Amino acid sequence: MSSIQLAGFGELIQAEASVDYPRPDRLVKGNPQRLTYDLYTHPHMGCGIWQCEVGAWNIQFADNKQEFFQVIEGVVRIHDAKTDSYIEVSAGHAGIIPPSFVGTFEVIEAVKKYFVIVEV
């Protein structure tokens, strides 16, 4: 039987952030440092806090993954390559990146967000 858990407590929190940068072949603007704090992982779901400096890079989501996120600080724009449109998400607001999404992730103001990635 499963039990309800608080993300980020006990063994669920990662002591240090993982640090990465956009791959050079996907980079559009800048070379922003990205910090990921994994708060909970499961074979079909993960959640945590993600921070990033200003910059932009191309993204392509897998057919079987989607992300819900809520911005805590900052502003991001997610540009949809198929429709040539974008959404802007700022502190206090949330967004969803659907499976198979192709576009550009642009950080307008340094961002901190909660994220939940689910395998569908």
Side-chain angles (χ1 to χ4, degrees):
M1 176 179 243
S2 299
S3 64
I4 297 173
Q5 300 178 0
L6 293 173
F9 288 87
E11 296 177 20
L12 299 177
I13 193 163
Q14 179 177 308
E16 294 185 26
S18 62
V19 178
D20 75 324
Y21 297 84
R23 290 184 357 206
D25 61 317
R26 293 187 177 191
L27 200 56
V28 174
K29 179 171 56 175
N31 190 27
Q33 181 184 65
R34 305 180 296 194
L35 304 174
T36 303
Y37 298 87
D38 291 319
L39 299 179
Y40 176 77
T41 58
H42 181 276
H44 303 290
M45 186 191 90
C47 65
I49 296 176
W50 183 84
Q51 293 177 258
C52 186
E53 300 171 331
V54 172
W57 59 95
N58 294 322
I59 60 173
Q60 182 170 355
F61 264 55
D63 295 341
N64 66 334
K65 290 192 179 178
Q66 61 185 342
E67 177 182 347
F68 165 85
F69 66 93
Q70 181 174 19
V71 174
I72 302 166
E73 300 170 356
V75 179
V76 299
R77 283 187 188 146
I78 302 171
H79 302 261
D80 187 331
K82 291 180 185 176
T83 64
D84 197 30
S85 63
Y86 69 86
I87 63 166
E88 188 168 287
V89 187
S90 59
H93 295 98
I96 296 172
I97 303 174
S100 305
F101 179 83
V102 176
T104 302
F105 195 94
E106 181 180 13
V107 177
I108 303 298
E109 294 176 13
V111 71
K112 181 178 188 180
K113 68 176 184 169
Y114 291 111
F115 70 87
V116 179
I117 297 177
V118 179
E119 193 173 299
V120 293

